[in-house]
Amino acid sequence: MKVLVTGGSGFIGTNLSLFLTEEGHEVRVLDLRSPNFKAEYVKGDIRDYETVKRAVEGIEAVVHLAAMVSAVEATEKPEEATEINVMGTLNLLEASRRQGVRRFVYASSVAVYGEPLYLPVDERHPNFPVNVYGATKLGGEALVNGYSGNYGLSTVSLRFFNVYGPWMRPGPYSGVILKFLEFAHGNEPFRIEGDGRQTRDFIYVEDVVRAIQLALEEEFTGAYNVGTGKETSIIELARLVSEVVGIPCRVEHAPPRKGDIRRSVADPSKLMLRGWRPKVDLKEGLRRTNEWYERFVRAHH
């Protein structure tokens, strides 16, 4: 299959592109940054329709990962977040429809649910985002559904929970696991916002990639949770990271983050009915992520 991966140079995109290439698919990457692996590459911004149109030419399936992915950044730049996450998605859907793309896989997020009314969260849970990021992901999802209903485009939305693993992006908006690895290797205490009892469902990137592969190969539609169904507190995560790195666990608390969800865990049974299973547990995933961190991140500092 000839697959376009938007955001293919990013964290999930790199893992996915390498995997699809190994599986014998042809991969084209659309991204502002060039990929660090061999692939056909279109440099450009998803906000530019002409670029998107060029990227979709001759493509059978689109995996749309390109987005402003940090909730913190989206809060700081709401207009830009909406342009990228909503209008960018519209550009891709429109180009896909016009070019006769066979399958469109949209990367959505747990953020569409907002503060859970019950746990674990299944796909029937009301969508009530409590931040700009969640609102833009839900906006993209609504467009995906609209294109499916209006034009018969074969689409699916995968709602990722907290994805981690090799090729995570360092920087001011990096996720908690990468920050914890940086603290551990820098011999600094783990800085935790709030009391650390807030929970998340951490899913290893390889399991996410297999969920995307399934969504590419099978024609199911609608929204699907991609999570493990296991709830982990941030304080427990700090303990696990320090264990994996082999240092004592020291923690310092900062004020809680505004609009932070208290508890979050997926009910992934809808996707599991299709034969998908999360295979990598948190400790093993952290061990592999730390191995990558030591080999690539620390080595280049």
Side-chain angles (χ1 to χ4, degrees), residues 268-287:
S269 52
K270 189 177 164 189
L271 191 60
M272 287 169 79
L273 286 171
R274 304 226 159 246
W276 173 86
R277 292 273 180 289
K279 290 181 177 168
V280 183
D281 72 23
L282 186 53
K283 189 147 187 211
E284 171 59 18
L286 289 173
R287 194 190 61 71

Side-chain angles (χ1 to χ4, degrees), residues 89-97 104 140 143-144 147 153 155:
T89 300
L90 177 65
N91 283 341
L92 274 143
L93 286 163
E94 184 56 21
S96 298
R97 166 176 90 93
F104 191 98
L143 281 169
V144 166
Y147 265 72
L153 185 64
T155 66

Side-chain angles (χ1 to χ4, degrees), residues 22 92 97 106 125 152 181 188 242 244 250 268 276 291 293:
E22 269 169 36
L92 274 143
R97 166 176 90 93
Y106 173 66
H125 187 287
L181 283 171
E188 294 171 53
S242 57
V244 161
R250 293 178 299 139
W276 173 86
E291 229 171 60
Y293 185 89

Side-chain angles (χ1 to χ4, degrees), residues 79-256:
E79 206 171 312
E80 196 181 332
T82 306
E83 280 173 11
I84 297 169
N85 294 1
V86 183
M87 295 311 291
T89 300
L90 177 65
N91 283 341
L92 274 143
L93 286 163
E94 184 56 21
S96 298
R97 166 176 90 93
R98 288 175 180 270
Q99 303 267 357
V101 163
R102 200 173 62 68
R103 185 72 167 143
F104 191 98
V105 180
Y106 173 66
S108 187
S109 164
V110 54
V112 301
Y113 296 120
E115 190 67 58
L117 304 173
Y118 58 84
L119 292 169
V121 175
D122 59 22
E123 292 82 354
R124 287 189 298 272
H125 187 287
N127 296 323
F128 198 82
V130 293
N131 57 30
V132 169
Y133 171 69
T136 64
K137 292 312 279 186
L138 188 57
E141 218 180 277
L143 281 169
V144 166
N145 294 343
Y147 265 72
S148 180
N150 272 156
Y151 310 111
L153 185 64
S154 168
T155 66
V156 65
S157 294
L158 299 177
R159 292 173 176 166
F160 300 154
F161 278 65
N162 292 69
V163 190
Y164 71 98
W167 307 112
M168 287 185 291
R169 318 266 349 153
Y173 301 115
S174 66
V176 63
I177 286 181
L178 189 54
K179 283 199 173 103
F180 279 6
L181 283 171
E182 285 167 350
F183 293 148
H185 285 283
N187 211 0
E188 294 171 53
F190 293 88
R191 240 190 344 274
I192 293 178
E193 292 166 305
D195 62 8
R197 284 204 285 271
Q198 63 270 44
T199 64
R200 295 294 179 265
D201 185 335
F202 295 102
I203 178 150
Y204 190 61
V205 67
E206 189 184 288
D207 286 328
V208 170
V209 162
R210 284 188 307 99
I212 297 169
Q213 179 193 26
L214 183 69
L216 279 172
E217 288 171 359
E218 294 188 22
E219 291 286 310
F220 54 88
T221 190
Y224 288 80
N225 285 340
V226 185
T228 65
K230 293 194 173 74
E231 193 177 5
T232 305
S233 72
I234 300 303
I235 206 102
E236 169 69 2
L237 178 69
R239 197 187 62 72
L240 282 170
V241 170
S242 57
E243 203 179 300
V244 161
V245 177
I247 56 146
C249 183
R250 293 178 299 139
V251 167
E252 60 180 44
H253 293 274

Side-chain angles (χ1 to χ4, degrees), residues 48-93:
D48 179 59
Y49 183 71
E50 287 308 308
T51 302
V52 168
K53 201 171 90 179
R54 202 171 75 244
V56 174
E57 263 166 36
I59 288 292
E60 289 167 78
V62 172
V63 180
H64 179 30
L65 298 167
M68 184 185 283
V69 293
S70 158
V72 178
E73 190 176 7
T75 305
E76 291 168 6
K77 307 168 186 166
E79 206 171 312
E80 196 181 332
T82 306
E83 280 173 11
I84 297 169
N85 294 1
V86 183
M87 295 311 291
T89 300
L90 177 65
N91 283 341
L92 274 143
L93 286 163

